[in-house]
Amino acid sequence: MAIINNKKGIALEKSDIILGFIPLTDCAPLVIAHEKGYFRNEGLNVTLSRETSWAGIRDKVGLGILDGAQMLASIPVASRLGVGGPKIDMISAMVLDLNGNAITVNNGLYDHLYAIDSRSEFSPLIAAQALQCVVEENKRSKRPKLRFGVVYPCSTQSYELRYWLASAGIDPDRDIEIVVIPPPKMVSAMTDGDIHGFCVGEPWNTLAVQQQLGHVVATKYQLWNNSPEKVFAVSESWSNENPATHQAILRALIKACIWLDKKENRKTAAKMISQAPYIALPEETVALSLTGLSLKHYGQMPEKVDDFHVFHRYSANFPWLNHAEWFISQMYRWGQLTTPINIEETVAAVYKPALFRIAAEAIGLESPSIDRKTEGNLHEKNMLTKSQHIGPNQFLDGQVISVGGIIKYLEQQSLSKADIPALRLINTQNEAK
């Protein structure tokens, strides 16, 4: 039975809610919605559950232990397809943030890259090319492969690391070893010498640099400007059973993201999320990237990156279907997905722009009228609607993906394991002519 317990008198199916998060800087929307009372104002009694791994979050949402969660933007897509874990019909109606990750290598490897080409300090592409030289040296000398950590097999970080490596001709599956490590354990793994580098969200890159363990060689923004990072996700069955509650959560999270994207609120946000129940790290460590600063090298001034974390601007919260398509293209590229599927039908089953529009309209926000957009074609922000912008969206290698052109894009990728003819056969009507 529906209960009425919010200020607007809207009937909610459920008011006691448990939401999962991982201790990362971009758990901020959930923390702010809780700490600032946005959940409470919607009649929601939310408990935030700090989790240790993305696989754990995936499973707990699927089993109903968690009502919903902060989740890597790729996980609902992978779970729908049964890639990297059990098949779980998840949906996402909201992106929580853009950007926010980085690739860090340990001091020894960085010194090697710098010795090969000192421009590695400034250029992700040159750093990758220098790494390719190291890989070849290791092969000739029969030394063990370099080992890199990612947070989940089908994670945004895995695809970003692979994309960076492949830009220099490094085969992520043959030339190096990739291992899965939960975000909070990434720095200790580098300390122990278990890995030579990692791709992870903040504040763990900053912490590694502050502890003089390594150097940042690339940020997510440099790899693909303003690409999606975390989403809010629930199981499809949960959403169907609790539509009003789902909308209430979305409204609260959108309000939190709006608050977070105001520069004057970022230091306050850092103070909140650095607390023990959330990230449990020094406030100054969390505040760096959150206030638009990227600490890449110990002893040097942080680099100013205004868009290191984007929570609302650039239509950031809208679940663009073409973003889900890109994740599927990477699953095919790296052999995680081999069965040909109808890509358009799959992404429409997972990302839910219509549900986002309902929540946005309820709080007076304009939403994009289209569900897909071209990627890689913008050097600067561009007007989308009267009140909405989209931001720069360039890829490191200059690729452009037109609407309907995801298979054509995949066909152009080096080292790809995708069966392009089979994909074209099942997606013929969807692909742009």
Side-chain angles (χ1 to χ4, degrees), residues 7-35:
K7 293 180 179 179
K8 298 178 181 178
I10 298 174
L12 303 180
E13 301 84 9
K14 186 176 185 180
S15 60
D16 292 335
I17 300 295
I18 304 175
L19 302 179
F21 74 94
I22 296 287
L24 292 155
T25 302
D26 55 16
C27 73
L30 278 75
V31 174
I32 296 305
H34 181 66
E35 295 282 345

Side-chain angles (χ1 to χ4, degrees), residues 168-198:
I170 300 170
D171 188 327
D173 295 309
R174 294 184 178 182
D175 296 337
I176 68 162
E177 183 182 356
I178 296 178
V179 296
V180 174
I181 302 170
K185 296 183 179 180
M186 205 69 83
V187 174
S188 60
M190 181 172 281
T191 303
D192 295 340
D194 296 334
I195 53 175
H196 300 89
F198 55 66

Side-chain angles (χ1 to χ4, degrees), residues 15 19 54 56 63 68 109-110 120 184 207 217 280 302 393 407 420 433:
S15 60
L19 302 179
W54 293 115
L63 293 169
L109 180 53
Y110 178 78
S120 298
L207 185 65
V217 292
N393 60 11
I407 297 177
I420 298 297
K433 304 301 182 184

Side-chain angles (χ1 to χ4, degrees), residues 357-368:
R357 291 189 179 103
I358 294 170
E361 184 178 2
I363 60 175
L365 286 180
E366 191 177 16
S367 297

Side-chain angles (χ1 to χ4, degrees), residues 18-20 30 57-58 61-62 66-73 75-77 79 89-96 230-236 238-239 246 249-250 253 350-351:
I18 304 175
L19 302 179
L30 278 75
I57 275 192
R58 173 202 66 203
V61 170
L66 296 172
D67 293 286
Q70 169 206 29
M71 206 172 284
L72 294 163
I75 287 182
V77 182
S79 295
D89 287 345
M90 290 187 186
I91 66 168
S92 176
M94 180 183 176
V95 176
L96 295 173
K230 305 299 190 305
V231 298
F232 177 70
V234 299
S235 70
E236 185 174 28
W238 187 94
S239 181
H246 192 185
I249 295 172
L250 294 176
L253 288 173
V350 181
Y351 275 24

